[in-house]
Amino acid sequence: MQRPTTYGQSPPLHHPVPQHVSTVPQLRSPPPPSQSQPQSQNYGNPYQAQQGGAPNGNAFGQYGNFLNDPTAQFAAQFGQTAFKQGQEYLESNVNRYMNISMLKHYFNVTNSYVINKLFLVLFPWRHKPWSRKPDPVRQGLYLPPRDDVNSPDMYIPVMSLVTYILLSSLIAGLRGQFQPELLGSKAATALIVVVLEILGLKVGTYILSISNDSQLLDLVAYSGYKFVGIIVTIAVSQSVNGGKGTGGWVGWGVFFYTFLANSLFLMRSLKYVLLPENNPGPAASGMQTDSRAKRNQRTQFLFFYSYIVQLVLMWILSRA
């Protein structure tokens, strides 16, 4: 039975029910490219595009591919070969003018050798023997300086030359006369003296027909031992005279002592270079007479070099 509608009341309102519900789409990242996809589709990662879709975004894979490239391997091998050939060319040209292996022999020293050698240069009066010891392994060669105190070396002459330059500059500084150019002038004076001395020795050995494979380096080494006596002379003289000079009876006394010690050291040491032993055997008497005359000339030359030349050079260097 229907309820009668009454006048004055509105009918009930009905809300429309939507028939379709729209959903908001969810944002998702695209799936990673598979190996079968071409390289042109890898737009997200430029390194993967260069690596042909390398996984995990490996940025260094391209360098591994570069090293595995045959062209890169050929370039590396070519560079190594060129460097090796250049090194061999440099060594061959340097050895043409200087034997590097022989030069290393002269720097093969020890602390005990340096001390004993300095004592020998300054006090050679009772030293025996003076002959060098031959190398039992290498025939025709001598033992290195570390095994034979009579062997010449380059370490003491080089260090003595440097010490002489620094000591002279120090003394000039104590006097208030130091200038930067003084280092160069002292070094130039010392080097000029040594070069002139070596040239004179080479001319004398050529005239006297003295030949020795290692005589040049030996003569260079022996010419540098004079700086030991010069350093002692300058140091003692400056200490006694209060830095006023190398004169006075103390300075002259030390100078003559170091000069005589250096001269005796050279006379005894250079005998095997300038006075080689002659073994004429069954040679004729004329050849023996000629050998005896040459030996006398070599003895006079050795005396002139050891005493007269060293006196002049040591005086110049000690006064410079």
Side-chain angles (χ1 to χ4, degrees):
M1 179 175 197
Q2 295 183 353
R3 179 179 296 180
T5 60
T6 60
Y7 297 98
Q9 293 181 356
S10 60
L13 298 178
H14 299 279
H15 297 281
V17 178
Q19 300 297 327
H20 301 282
V21 179
S22 62
T23 60
V24 180
Q26 298 181 0
L27 298 178
R28 296 181 180 178
S29 60
S34 60
Q35 297 294 334
S36 60
Q37 293 179 352
Q39 296 181 2
S40 60
Q41 298 178 0
N42 297 329
Y43 301 107
N45 195 340
Y47 293 104
Q48 292 182 359
Q50 296 179 3
Q51 300 169 18
N56 300 328
N58 188 2
F60 299 96
Q62 55 180 343
Y63 300 104
N65 295 334
F66 175 77
L67 295 177
N68 294 328
D69 189 5
T71 305
Q73 294 179 359
F74 174 77
Q77 293 178 359
F78 179 79
Q80 293 178 358
T81 304
F83 177 78
K84 184 177 180 180
Q85 292 179 355
Q87 186 178 7
E88 292 177 354
Y89 176 79
L90 180 61
E91 291 179 355
S92 62
N93 283 272
V94 172
N95 290 331
R96 183 184 304 177
Y97 303 99
M98 182 180 299
N99 193 339
I100 301 299
S101 60
M102 186 63 68
L103 188 61
K104 292 180 180 179
H105 170 86
Y106 289 87
F107 285 93
N108 189 6
V109 299
T110 58
N111 294 333
S112 60
Y113 167 81
V114 173
I115 296 175
N116 294 330
K117 193 72 171 188
L118 292 175
F119 186 84
L120 175 60
V121 173
L122 295 175
F123 306 99
W125 315 108
R126 302 185 63 179
H127 176 73
K128 289 182 180 180
W130 290 90
S131 59
R132 297 181 59 180
K133 299 178 182 179
D135 194 336
V137 178
R138 299 176 298 175
Q139 299 296 329
L141 299 178
Y142 296 99
L143 289 176
R146 64 181 302 159
D147 299 325
D148 184 13
V149 71
N150 294 324
S151 177
D153 69 284
M154 291 288 188
Y155 178 79
I156 293 178
V158 170
M159 296 305 298
S160 300
L161 175 61
V162 175
T163 305
Y164 165 76
I165 297 172
L166 297 179
L167 180 61
S168 301
S169 302
L170 176 62
I171 293 174
L174 295 177
R175 297 175 182 174
Q177 302 174 355
F178 176 77
Q179 296 179 356
E181 296 81 5
L182 185 61
L183 292 172
S185 63
K186 291 294 182 180
T189 302
L191 291 177
I192 290 174
V193 168
V194 172
V195 170
L196 293 178
E197 180 181 358
I198 298 301
L199 290 178
L201 283 174
K202 291 296 295 181
V203 171
T205 55
Y206 176 77
I207 295 175
L208 298 176
S209 302
I210 301 174
S211 60
N212 193 338
D213 295 337
S214 62
Q215 69 173 7
L216 177 59
L217 295 178
D218 290 347
L219 295 178
V220 172
Y222 283 117
S223 66
Y225 287 116
K226 69 171 64 65
F227 289 99
V228 176
I230 295 173
I231 291 172
V232 174
T233 301
I234 295 176
V236 175
S237 300
Q238 295 295 329
S239 299
V240 173
N241 296 333
K244 298 181 180 180
T246 56
W249 65 272
V250 176
W252 283 109
V254 176
F255 171 78
F256 277 109
Y257 174 83
T258 56
F259 154 70
L260 293 175
N262 181 69
S263 299
L264 179 62
F265 170 77
L266 293 178
M267 277 286 295
R268 302 290 180 144
S269 300
L270 288 175
K271 289 182 63 177
Y272 78 96
V273 177
L274 302 180
L275 300 176
E277 296 294 335
N278 295 321
N279 296 320
S285 58
M287 296 180 62
Q288 294 179 1
T289 303
D290 182 67
S291 300
R292 189 178 301 108
K294 287 185 178 181
R295 186 173 181 84
N296 292 333
Q297 294 176 358
R298 293 171 180 174
T299 304
Q300 296 173 2
F301 175 74
L302 178 59
F303 178 85
F304 177 80
Y305 167 73
S306 300
Y307 284 90
I308 307 300
V309 174
Q310 295 302 312
L311 176 63
V312 176
L313 296 182
M314 292 184 67
W315 182 82
I316 293 175
L317 292 174
S318 62
R319 302 294 168 180

